[in-house]
Amino acid sequence: MSSENRLFALLEKYLMGPMGKVASFRFVRAVMAAGMASIPFTIVGSMFLVLNVLPQTMTFLEGFFNSTFFRISDLYMLAFKATMGILALYFNLVIGYEYTKLFAEEEGLNVNPLNGALLSMFAFFMTIPQLMLKDGKISLVQQIDDHTKIISGWEMVDNGVSRLGTTGIFAAIIMAVVAVQLYRLCVKRNWVIKMPEAVPEGVSRSFTALIPAFFVAFVVLIINGILVALGTDIFKVVAVPFSFVVNIANSWLGLIIIYFLIHALWIVGIHGANIISAFTTPIVLANMEANMHGANIPFAGEFQNSFVIMGGSGSTLGLTLFIAFLAKSQQLRILGRASIAPGIFNINEPILFGLPIVYNPYLAIPFFLAPMATATIGYWAIKLHFVNPIIAQVPWPSPIGIGAFIGTGGDLMAVVVALICGIVAFLIYLPFIKLYDNKLFKQEKGEEPVL
């Protein structure tokens, strides 16, 4: 077995196998579904935010905006507050729905996805108000000063209720899982009220959820009571391990590991971006909101498609253009020209499987190195304040430069850095694709046998 084949075998055994198992977990699939479902709403909300911050980067627009858009900003920013401002609720509802649906389909349980979603929201909302134990009495926190506004336990910020935003995503995920598992337990143990078949489905469904709702209420109240007695709550408990994970992901080394894993999965034919995004989506959305409030975190929003993988996984846009117009091999030229249009919009499955890059020892090295190099450039460009941090979610198919420009609130330097990333990725591919092109060209001329 050649060294290249041994490498692919090791990746299949030690990476594809374990990650494939992780990706098959119902919990992970539900989180992936929640991330995908939230995208349209985060994009819509972000576009209104970009409109609000555009004069900060293009100061010549300030006078015009003051006399026009800013007069109604409280009106149109409702679209932002109703998306990014309650993003945890989106995650909670979708996970509750999808997680329940998976149990219904794969275990044959008589559970209703809508009930699962509502029970998840019920559990989540019971954890949001802040409680305190004082003199043997549990009461809702009341605190209003220059820095904090907590009214009847509900902490208010500019975007609305603080814990409904991105800071509450991880707690929302956990409470959805707890609620659905309790619902599943009730149904498996037959702890439900069954109505006659003649009763309308809507009425029957509501009674089916009655006992699970009581069960969820008691369990969550007990959890709340214990945590309050210990001087904490579910949000503070969850923040400890997740903040550790977030800090690692936000480091340069953590970023490199993330993109190594994505592309190691791709090289053996597994959609690495989909799998890893199940874990990173809550992080990048929370980071994006932190950037809106003055933070400077590179790994936020669509950092990936803005600076790292222009043209698709592996950052193959420059490679696609090269083979389309400069390859000697007719096979590569035809493939490249057919792949330009999707490549511009960050879709490169034709290249991954048609070139191919998957299982191709000639192109495996640059496929790993290019996104690591572009991630490094994008990371340090933001970290060192050459480029504004990402504050708005943009559609992932946004062409090179456009996504970076909009995502950073109209920073022209972001366009320059995105183009530099694309050029650097192409230069990494260049010597490897030339070797591969020469080999295919010789095969087409009959000078070498076709493997």
Side-chain angles (χ1 to χ4, degrees):
M1 182 184 290
S2 67
S3 58
E4 293 89 354
N5 288 336
R6 281 197 295 270
L7 173 63
F8 291 135
L10 286 172
L11 287 173
E12 283 186 325
K13 181 178 180 181
Y14 294 107
L15 184 66
M16 188 178 78
M19 290 303 292
K21 289 180 181 177
V22 170
S24 69
F25 293 161
R26 296 186 183 104
F27 157 71
V28 174
R29 286 150 63 194
V31 174
M32 287 171 64
M36 294 298 292
S38 69
I39 287 174
F41 302 98
T42 56
I43 291 173
V44 168
S46 293
M47 292 305 100
F48 288 97
L49 177 67
V50 170
L51 181 65
N52 231 34
V53 302
L54 207 55
Q56 296 177 19
T57 53
M58 298 181 176
T59 53
F60 61 89
L61 294 173
E62 191 171 345
F64 173 71
F65 271 64
N66 284 335
S67 61
T68 55
F69 291 111
F70 288 167
R71 289 181 176 272
I72 57 168
S73 64
D74 283 349
L75 173 63
Y76 64 71
M77 283 298 286
L78 290 175
F80 172 76
K81 293 178 180 180
T83 50
M84 291 299 298
I86 58 169
L87 196 58
L89 184 57
Y90 285 88
F91 268 78
N92 176 262
L93 284 169
V94 177
I95 290 171
Y97 185 92
E98 293 290 339
Y99 200 34
T100 306
K101 185 179 176 183
L102 288 170
F103 282 121
E105 292 173 349
E106 297 177 8
E107 290 190 355
L109 292 176
N110 186 26
V111 289
N112 185 278
L114 181 59
N115 282 346
L118 294 175
L119 288 169
S120 297
M121 183 176 66
F122 176 46
F124 178 47
F125 268 88
M126 280 197 294
T127 64
I128 292 175
Q130 297 183 37
L131 298 161
M132 59 183 287
L133 177 64
K134 188 176 182 181
D135 300 327
K137 179 183 177 182
I138 293 179
S139 57
L140 292 165
V141 175
Q142 300 277 359
Q143 182 182 348
I144 300 177
D145 54 40
D146 293 341
H147 306 289
T148 306
K149 292 181 182 177
I150 304 177
I151 304 167
S152 298
W154 295 74
E155 184 178 18
M156 307 302 295
V157 292
D158 290 342
N159 292 340
V161 180
S162 64
R163 290 183 167 184
L164 284 177
T166 54
T167 55
I169 286 179
F170 295 116
I173 291 171
I174 288 173
M175 295 317 299
V177 172
V178 168
V180 172
Q181 286 287 2
L182 291 174
Y183 180 30
R184 171 175 171 256
L185 176 65
C186 287
V187 173
K188 285 189 76 170
R189 298 294 179 89
N190 211 24
W191 299 340
V192 292
I193 297 174
K194 292 185 177 180
M195 303 297 289
E197 291 184 5
V199 174
E201 184 181 352
V203 177
S204 177
R205 183 171 61 235
S206 64
F207 276 93
T208 302
L210 185 59
I211 292 176
F214 269 113
F215 198 31
V216 168
F218 285 128
V219 170
V220 175
L221 290 175
I222 290 168
I223 293 171
N224 278 351
I226 292 171
L227 292 177
V228 170
L230 295 173
T232 186
D233 60 33
I234 188 69
F235 285 82
K236 295 171 185 174
V237 170
V238 168
V240 175
F242 279 105
S243 62
F244 175 73
V245 173
V246 168
N247 288 336
I248 293 176
N250 290 343
S251 68
W252 172 77
L253 181 59
L255 203 62
I256 294 301
I257 291 172
I258 287 169
Y259 287 110
F260 171 82
L261 291 174
I262 288 173
H263 292 84
L265 289 166
W266 261 125
I267 206 70
V268 289
I270 300 295
H271 199 308
N274 274 357
I275 293 175
I276 302 301
S277 68
F279 305 98
T280 60
T281 296
I283 294 173
V284 296
L285 290 174
N287 289 346
M288 186 172 70
E289 186 176 40
N291 287 341
M292 295 172 194
H293 294 93
N296 187 57
I297 306 171
F299 191 47
E302 275 299 335
F303 173 82
Q304 176 166 294
N305 288 294
S306 296
F307 297 109
V308 183
I309 56 170
M310 293 74 63
S313 293
S315 195
T316 58
L317 182 59
L319 169 68
T320 302
L321 293 172
F322 175 82
I323 63 173
F325 300 108
L326 297 174
K328 292 186 287 185
S329 163
Q330 185 181 6
Q331 173 188 331
L332 291 189
R333 284 200 306 274
I334 293 171
L335 175 66
R337 289 170 186 173
S339 303
I340 289 175
I344 289 172
F345 297 100
N346 299 327
I347 300 167
N348 69 341
E349 275 77 0
I351 292 291
L352 292 176
F353 297 102
L355 193 58
I357 290 177
V358 172
Y359 285 108
N360 188 337
Y362 288 91
L363 298 174
I365 292 174
F367 186 69
F368 281 107
L369 291 181
M372 291 183 187
T374 54
T376 299
I377 294 169
Y379 178 90
W380 289 110
I382 295 173
K383 196 75 174 176
L384 299 176
H385 298 278
F386 291 118
V387 173
N388 291 339
I390 293 174
I391 60 167
Q393 186 80 346
V394 295
W396 63 265
S398 300
I400 183 170
I402 295 176
F405 177 76
I406 298 173
T408 55
D411 187 358
L412 288 171
M413 193 62 192
V415 179
V416 175
V417 170
L419 292 172
I420 290 172
C421 288
I423 292 168
V424 168
F426 166 64
L427 292 176
I428 291 171
Y429 275 106
L430 187 57
F432 296 91
I433 191 60
K434 279 187 172 181
L435 287 172
Y436 189 56
D437 181 34
N438 286 333
K439 182 176 183 63
L440 291 181
F441 182 63
K442 289 178 180 179
Q443 289 178 356
E444 288 172 0
K445 291 176 64 179
E447 295 176 7
E448 277 192 15
V450 178
L451 294 177

